[in-house]
Structure formats: C-alpha cells, structure tokens
Amino acid sequence: MKTISPESDLFKEINNRIIDAIGALADQTTNDKIIDIYDNYARINENLTRVRLSEVVFDRKNGSKEICQCYVTLYLHGSNVNSRSDIINKFLKAGLADELFIKFGFKIDEISKSRDASRNLGRGSIEDRSSFSFSAEYERFL
C-alpha cells in the first residue's frame, strides 16, 4: 500500500469529491454549510461542517480501476452539534447514503461513533463541536 501525497492531483480530486458528497449528504440531513478543514470559518453564524480528508492510501488495482482507501473526519460546529452529528452518523450507518456516495465514486466502510469535540477557546468561551470519522473506498477508472 502506498500513501498518496496531499499535494498530488489525485488527493485534491478525491478531496473535492468528498466535499461534494458530504454537501449532498447535508442537503438530505442537516442543511449544514460544508467547507474544507483548511477554509476559514471565523464569524460564521450558521451551522457548519468542516471536512478533513486526512489520508488517501492506494489499496489495489482491480481490472481497469484503481481502488484507494480514504480516511475522513467531519467536525460539526454551531447549534445542536451532537444531535446533528448523530443524525449524519446514523444516516451513514443505516446505508441510506450509499447510493449518493456511489455517484461520487465512494463506498463507505467503517464509521466511528460521534463524539463531543468541544474545545475551550480561552477567556471563558467554549466552541461547541462534535466529530466522527469514516473510511471509504474510492474507485478510479484507468
């Protein structure tokens, strides 16, 4: 197995597809605004989900396609973060988003439990957030 560099075109392509897939998922579940983990989110006063594609690993070649394993974390911000995280998490676990992800070339694998990821920002303010991770296979035709 070979880890794909975050600077590569393949990693960037997969990152864009993951963000689009999560955006389509949010349209069906929470109506959150979806952004990349590295996008600025200061002063956003709406519910927000940040998407982090942490790693892409070339897994195998299967006939005329390459299969990569992708590791994704979602960080939900705003109101009712734990409830929103549970909604998306249960939606994925129930297989209700499988068809949607297939349209973007992904097959969902393992999904972690959602967790409270709130953090103290100092000066008495707490940022409410919740997160969970999942892995997905990405199929790319050669």
Side-chain angles (χ1 to χ4, degrees), residues 27-43:
D27 288 346
Q28 293 182 10
T29 56
T30 60
N31 288 321
D32 286 358
K33 180 177 180 176
I34 307 298
I35 64 171
D36 186 270
I37 188 78
Y38 299 109
D39 290 347
N40 185 355
Y41 67 100
R43 304 183 196 277

Side-chain angles (χ1 to χ4, degrees), residues 25-115:
L25 175 63
D27 288 346
Q28 293 182 10
T29 56
T30 60
N31 288 321
D32 286 358
K33 180 177 180 176
I34 307 298
I35 64 171
D36 186 270
I37 188 78
Y38 299 109
D39 290 347
N40 185 355
Y41 67 100
R43 304 183 196 277
I44 292 178
N45 295 323
E46 58 191 317
N47 289 342
L48 173 69
T49 299
R50 294 167 59 216
V51 180
R52 179 174 187 240
L53 177 62
S54 58
E55 188 175 39
V56 176
V57 178
F58 175 78
D59 191 18
R60 66 189 181 276
K61 206 171 192 180
N62 186 3
S64 63
K65 59 185 168 183
E66 291 179 335
I67 299 174
C68 295
Q69 195 68 32
C70 308
Y71 300 93
V72 180
T73 303
L74 304 182
Y75 296 93
L76 288 81
H77 302 262
S79 62
N80 304 313
V81 290
N82 292 323
S83 171
R84 290 176 17 241
S85 182
D86 283 343
I87 289 168
I88 295 173
N89 194 292
K90 288 176 182 174
F91 201 81
L92 289 171
K93 284 183 177 178
L96 299 173
D98 289 352
E99 189 175 313
L100 180 147
F101 273 85
I102 287 170
K103 289 179 185 176
F104 291 94
F106 297 100
K107 179 183 168 197
I108 302 294
D109 282 339
E110 296 179 31
I111 304 165
S112 74
K113 292 181 180 177
S114 57
R115 66 180 184 87

